[in-house]
Amino acid sequence: MDEVVSVLRSHPKKYSLHTTRSWEFVGLEERTKPYFMKKEDLLLKSKYGNDVIVGMLDNGVWPESKSFSDEGMGLVPPRWNGICQSGDAFNSSNCNKKIIGARYYIKGYEAYYGPLNRTIDYLSPRDKDGHGTHTASTVGGRRVPNASAIGGFARGTASGGAPLVRLAIYKVCWAVPGVEKDVGNICFEEDMLAAMDDAIADGVDVISISIGTSKPMPYTDDGIAVGAFHALKKNIVVSCSAGNSGPAPSTLSNLAPWIITVGASTIDRAFVAPVELGNGKKIPGVAVTPHYLEKKMYPLVHAAQIVNPNVPKNETMLCLPGSLSPKKAKGKIVFCLRGAGSRIGKDLEVKRAGGIGIITGNNKEIGDELYPDPHFIPGTGVTNYENTVKLFKYIRSTKKPMAYIVPSTTVIHTKPAPSMAIFSSRGPNTISPDILKPDITAPGVNILAAWSEGSSPTKLDIDHRVAKYNLLSGTSMACPHIAATCALLKAIHPKWSSAAIRSALITSAGLNNNEGNLITDEIGNPANSFQFGSGHFRPTKAADPGLVYDASYKDYLLFLCGSGIKNADSSFSCPENPPRPVNLNYPSVAIPKLKGTVTVQRTVTNVGSSRSVYFASVKPPAGFKVEIWPPILFFHSVGQKKKFSITVKAHSEMEGKMEMDEYAFGWYTWFDGIHNVRSPIAVSVA
């Protein structure tokens, strides 16, 4: 049919969901009454995102949450064309002036699995999982005082980044038959494409998608990239999660240059629950458990000491279901290793066997990765592999090891922060090596946001607790932080293109943590642009970037032509010699397999003062020479454009010293005395 643009094969397991204090941490939280705020404040300037419409592709919403109250909000924008689709436990009254539209898409899911089992999910836009409610409230949740996770942790005022945006819900992800919800939902390509088509026609300004593939996909085979390309034509900004397949390199999803690809980092809040040992020493731990031990010492064992005789040798420390002896576990704190089996599942096994508390530790492969769990019994997770070893040594050093798990507490202003989350997927970009990805990082660890009361804090069937707010980690949580900021920027700069908004975010990002040092990775080493892109987002700086790297729909078509994709738009013919992909006007530079010298072209548009002068400075990647020409740009009006070139050359001594696919990282910056317009550079040699 003439109206068919492309045909993609759909299959399961291709896409999955990428799973309070964060806004204050990035300098956006309203900490005083509005009349004490400066008129330049981003929230005031943007009117809190009022009347910007954000489309959420996820697994629905819990509309009764206070985060979605429409109290005091004005009429729905007249340009809105969407609907409020009825279904299980959901009708038109569940939409309001905050949630202005809601739809669900299930044809692809049901074509594969058959009719939805309506005991595991609602056949409606209602969320029975929690993930969709969490991401929607992170973008646009109203200010809700005295919100906290179960047990009272992270208590404070919950708020989305753009509290007055309008939300449009597109449910495209569904519960997988026969597995626990904590394993994850499934999202079919055709359902997502249908949702994106509707979102574009409905009139959204921003789309937030915390969904991605488990491995990089060519653009023509990636439904999200195809849908986002259609959105680009209507100047809709699309923010997507980078994926949770880190720390391995080349694991990113959502790589298209017309998408903002978001990595995940930490904030300055911790949930501390240390372990006191019988020898007087204390080992750091984290948890958000509402259960406490009486203040005294308890017998401590590691799981291998109390397993049933039939447990395989390689599973003796894992506390898997049915593995522990009730006779030996009763009344003891049990130390289990993470690995196979869910963390909360280990909890349940210790509880079944009569253990009084649980301590989880990391094996060497997991390293320092850690999540504060909402345990079913008093419990904590030891903070790294090194401390796990210390705990082992203590248990083996005495005939009667004893321990006490200190009750969990919320601690803020922890340092260093931010640091990169271990799970955040990493570059380089395997689909377009000339485009540096991810673009940016945002808070994605232990984020408090609204939750579905049709789910539980752990999503496990055996967990019958109900939570109105919950802590969740993943690049899924980072993505809506950027989507909210895009909404604020749209409110202030309604005529900016989606490329200009992406550029403003990238060139204004920060490189330092709250100790004044470079942002680190999960083990404390300096992070690089394949982990954080251009750095940690700074919403207030992004509102006034000085210069932007703009790009049109045609520019992206030419990029695709240069990448060998000729049929992206039937109304456009590729030129005989399209520009090289490296010359797409992107606010960063990636040069793979450099031989000799490479020169790339860029164009900046003045969006700052009408008369301004910018000077170039460079911090070249180690072993490379970088030259900007011209080194000074003179602007006489807002909107004026200036071209410049970036020439990169390897020092002669680099030949043979760098391995293939080994990258070095640097920066170049335009500075006018007010604005630092910084772009990252990544280079490897052939």
Side-chain angles (χ1 to χ4, degrees):
M1 292 187 291
D2 290 342
E3 63 268 28
V4 174
V5 177
S6 58
V7 178
L8 308 175
R9 183 176 179 179
S10 175
H11 54 84
K13 299 185 181 176
K14 185 172 179 180
Y15 293 90
S16 59
L17 291 165
H18 284 159
T19 332
T20 55
R21 176 159 174 83
S22 55
W23 292 112
E24 185 173 343
F25 178 58
V26 299
L28 196 63
E29 179 75 4
E30 180 187 344
R31 280 175 271 184
T32 58
K33 295 187 183 297
Y35 47 78
F36 286 132
M37 297 170 76
K38 296 176 182 175
K39 64 180 180 182
E40 296 84 16
D41 183 274
L42 177 55
L43 281 172
L44 277 184
K45 210 171 175 184
S46 65
K47 298 180 181 175
Y48 299 80
N50 187 37
D51 286 353
V52 176
I53 303 169
V54 181
M56 303 296 306
L57 263 70
D58 214 296
N59 57 8
V61 72
W62 192 263
E64 291 81 8
S65 171
K66 288 182 181 178
S67 290
F68 305 122
S69 163
D70 66 353
E71 185 181 348
M73 294 186 73
L75 295 174
V76 174
R79 59 195 170 85
W80 173 245
N81 299 313
I83 64 168
C84 194
Q85 187 177 5
S86 295
D88 294 347
F90 200 96
N91 58 44
S92 59
S93 68
N94 290 119
C95 292
N96 57 14
K97 288 178 280 188
K98 162 58 75 175
I99 298 173
I100 62 173
R103 301 178 185 249
Y104 66 92
Y105 302 81
I106 197 167
K107 285 183 180 178
Y109 175 94
E110 291 194 330
Y112 184 84
Y113 285 114
L116 175 72
N117 176 351
R118 287 152 87 165
T119 65
I120 64 169
D121 209 337
Y122 299 106
L123 188 62
S124 76
R126 185 173 287 278
D127 175 11
K128 201 178 177 73
D129 177 273
H131 189 280
T133 302
H134 199 281
T135 55
S137 63
T138 301
V139 170
R142 303 295 298 274
R143 291 174 59 80
V144 180
N146 208 30
S148 68
I150 197 162
F153 296 99
R155 189 177 299 280
T157 298
S159 176
L164 292 184
V165 294
R166 315 299 178 129
L167 295 171
I169 306 301
Y170 300 88
K171 182 175 177 177
V172 296
C173 299
W174 302 87
V176 182
V179 301
E180 292 266 18
K181 280 189 287 188
D182 70 318
V183 175
N185 285 21
I186 196 159
C187 325
F188 278 79
E189 200 150 25
E190 56 269 48
D191 295 332
M192 290 190 291
L193 271 169
M196 293 178 86
D197 272 351
D198 280 346
I200 293 163
D202 288 347
V204 303
D205 302 299
V206 177
I207 298 177
S208 181
I209 310 178
S210 292
I211 305 167
T213 52
S214 55
K215 60 182 181 181
M217 285 274 173
Y219 306 136
T220 50
D221 295 338
D222 183 349
I224 292 177
V226 171
F229 194 68
H230 296 170
L232 164 74
K233 202 170 184 179
K234 296 290 185 181
N235 205 27
I236 297 166
V237 187
V238 180
S239 173
C240 292
S241 46
N244 299 334
S245 301
S250 305
T251 47
L252 293 162
S253 60
N254 297 317
L255 290 163
W258 51 88
I259 286 171
I260 305 176
T261 311
V262 189
S265 44
T266 64
I267 59 173
D268 62 342
R269 179 178 62 199
F271 304 97
V272 176
V275 179
E276 291 180 356
L277 302 178
N279 60 5
K281 292 185 178 177
K282 193 180 275 191
I283 290 184
V286 299
V288 286
T289 174
H291 306 286
Y292 306 134
L293 291 169
E294 187 184 331
K295 180 74 172 84
K296 64 176 185 178
M297 289 288 171
Y298 295 84
L300 172 65
V301 293
H302 64 69
Q305 295 172 317
I306 59 168
V307 289
N308 291 317
N310 60 338
V311 175
K313 196 172 183 182
N314 63 338
E315 295 179 4
T316 56
M317 277 300 299
L318 296 176
C319 299
L320 297 177
S323 65
L324 301 181
S325 162
K327 189 177 177 183
K328 296 177 181 177
K330 190 175 181 183
K332 297 182 175 70
I333 295 175
V334 182
F335 178 41
C336 310
L337 270 189
R338 285 181 56 195
S342 71
R343 302 190 307 274
I344 293 295
K346 298 174 192 297
D347 242 42
L348 296 171
E349 174 58 13
V350 172
K351 185 180 181 183
R352 179 201 66 79
I356 201 165
I358 182 171
I359 302 169
T360 56
N362 289 355
N363 59 35
K364 199 167 188 176
E365 289 71 36
I366 295 172
D368 293 354
E369 182 185 40
L370 201 63
Y371 303 103
D373 289 316
H375 296 281
F376 289 99
I377 55 176
T380 190
V382 172
T383 52
N384 55 34
Y385 174 66
E386 189 181 331
N387 283 319
T388 299
V389 172
K390 285 181 185 175
L391 199 54
F392 259 124
K393 286 182 177 176
Y394 167 69
I395 292 172
R396 289 171 176 162
S397 72
T398 176
K399 288 182 179 179
K400 289 188 177 181
M402 304 290 284
Y404 169 66
I405 300 169
V406 178
S408 308
T409 55
T410 304
V411 178
I412 59 172
H413 304 303
T414 57
K415 294 182 179 183
S419 61
M420 291 308 300
I422 189 171
F423 57 76
S424 191
S425 292
R426 313 289 159 97
N429 183 338
T430 54
I431 306 302
S432 293
D434 301 299
I435 302 295
L436 200 160
K437 292 282 186 172
D439 291 309
I440 201 161
T441 188
V445 178
N446 302 326
I447 304 303
L448 184 76
W451 197 245
S452 166
E453 293 181 45
S455 186
S456 68
T458 61
K459 301 190 190 182
L460 294 171
D461 291 342
I462 199 167
D463 187 357
H464 301 297
R465 296 173 294 180
V466 173
K468 294 180 186 294
Y469 291 83
N470 199 20
L471 292 159
L472 218 56
S473 296
T475 53
S476 279
M477 286 60 254
C479 168
H481 280 84
I482 295 298
T485 307
C486 291
L488 297 177
L489 296 180
K490 272 270 188 186
I492 299 170
H493 305 291
K495 293 184 179 177
W496 277 12
S497 68
S498 58
I501 287 175
R502 183 190 311 107
S503 172
L505 285 162
I506 288 173
T507 62
S508 64
L511 291 176
N512 293 334
N513 59 29
N514 56 4
E515 292 181 326
N517 300 318
L518 184 70
I519 294 168
T520 57
D521 65 14
E522 65 283 348
I523 55 173
N525 295 324
N528 62 47
S529 291
F530 286 162
Q531 295 167 300
F532 56 49
S534 57
H536 197 257
F537 86 131
R538 296 191 292 181
T540 302
K541 295 279 186 187
D544 179 24
L547 303 174
V548 294
Y549 294 78
D550 210 349
S552 66
Y553 178 66
K554 183 181 176 182
D555 291 328
Y556 291 110
L557 286 171
L558 290 169
F559 164 81
L560 290 171
C561 293
S563 303
I565 300 170
K566 312 286 187 185
N567 57 349
D569 188 327
S570 58
S571 66
F572 180 81
S573 297
C574 289
E576 270 191 44
N577 295 303
R580 294 178 301 153
V582 74
N583 282 327
L584 177 67
N585 199 37
Y586 214 72
S588 56
V589 174
I591 302 174
K593 297 181 170 55
L594 173 67
K595 285 182 181 176
T597 301
V598 168
T599 298
V600 301
Q601 307 296 325
R602 291 293 187 266
T603 301
V604 284
T605 304
N606 179 28
V607 295
S609 305
S610 55
R611 299 183 69 82
S612 51
V613 181
Y614 282 85
F615 297 86
S617 66
V618 176
K619 185 186 179 188
F624 294 88
K625 183 181 180 183
V626 177
E627 191 174 272
I628 308 288
W629 188 261
I632 305 174
L633 300 177
F634 297 90
F635 293 94
H636 305 290
S637 62
V638 175
Q640 188 178 3
K641 296 178 183 291
K642 291 283 182 178
K643 292 185 177 182
F644 64 94
S645 64
I646 307 154
T647 302
V648 182
K649 181 181 181 182
H651 293 311
S652 55
E653 63 267 22
M654 289 300 293
E655 292 179 16
K657 286 196 174 178
M658 278 182 83
E659 293 183 21
M660 259 184 74
D661 300 326
E662 181 187 350
Y663 276 80
F665 302 91
W667 309 89
Y668 74 89
T669 305
W670 290 106
F671 179 63
D672 69 344
I674 299 170
H675 305 95
N676 271 302
V677 189
R678 188 179 59 243
S679 295
I681 307 171
V683 191
S684 72
V685 293

